[in-house]
Amino acid sequence: MRKTTLIFMILAVLAGCGQNPKNAASNAVQLTTDSTIVNVYYFHGKQRCKTCVAVGDVARQTVENSFADNKSVRFVEISTSEKGNDALIEKYDVTWNALIIAKGEDFVEITDQAFATAVKNPQSLENLIKEEVNKRLQ
């Protein structure tokens, strides 16, 4: 009985991430190793839950608002369901959703913090993104 309940709970959580396909990326992203650009990569599947959407929205808005005048920082949304994105998915070992800040080979994955804060404390996620981007701009 416990095993059945556990399986049901796992399936319910996974199904929740399939409720909102809003703003899904439709173009494959080319792998870049340009060491002058800080990329804020948001990896996601074809369908996304409320938290998945919030992570992407906060990351995009942070880059657009805080680094609008800096051509060395860009937000890159990557659909993990697009075959053309395999190189980036493999490079960063993405298995589900991910938020990664990278400059050349220097990168940090902040997925856990992003999913813990995007809905209830987006300012915390915004501050973390700005901190990690600024570290890589120095």
Side-chain angles (χ1 to χ4, degrees):
M1 181 69 165
R2 285 185 183 183
K3 196 174 195 179
T4 304
T5 303
L6 179 62
I7 290 171
F8 177 75
M9 289 173 62
I10 290 170
L11 290 174
V13 168
L14 292 175
C17 283
Q19 294 178 355
N20 191 352
K22 175 184 165 191
N23 296 329
S26 60
N27 297 324
V29 176
Q30 298 240 334
L31 177 63
T32 180
T33 56
D34 186 342
S35 62
T36 65
I37 304 292
V38 177
N39 292 297
V40 178
Y41 291 118
Y42 169 56
F43 293 86
H44 64 82
K46 192 181 276 188
Q47 298 176 325
R48 297 176 284 162
C49 66
K50 176 182 176 180
T51 304
C52 299
V53 172
V55 168
D57 289 348
V58 171
R60 177 187 353 273
Q61 291 167 3
T62 301
V63 171
E64 289 174 356
N65 296 336
S66 299
F67 301 100
D69 296 331
N70 191 332
K71 301 294 181 195
S72 295
V73 180
R74 67 181 183 163
F75 174 79
V76 184
E77 186 172 337
I78 301 165
S79 173
T80 56
S81 60
E82 297 274 337
K83 294 294 182 200
N85 294 328
D86 291 344
L88 274 173
I89 293 165
E90 185 175 314
K91 176 178 178 156
Y92 295 111
D93 197 28
V94 174
T95 57
W96 192 248
N97 294 325
L99 186 59
I100 297 172
I101 299 171
K103 181 179 180 185
E105 296 302 316
D106 175 24
F107 70 92
V108 62
E109 181 179 347
I110 59 170
T111 307
D112 290 343
Q113 299 95 319
F115 276 79
T117 60
V119 174
K120 293 188 179 187
N121 189 0
Q123 185 65 49
S124 175
L125 176 56
E126 180 180 338
N127 291 340
L128 178 60
I129 292 168
K130 288 192 286 190
E131 176 185 331
E132 291 297 340
V133 167
N134 285 324
K135 281 182 190 177
R136 284 155 184 81
L137 286 174
Q138 297 177 5

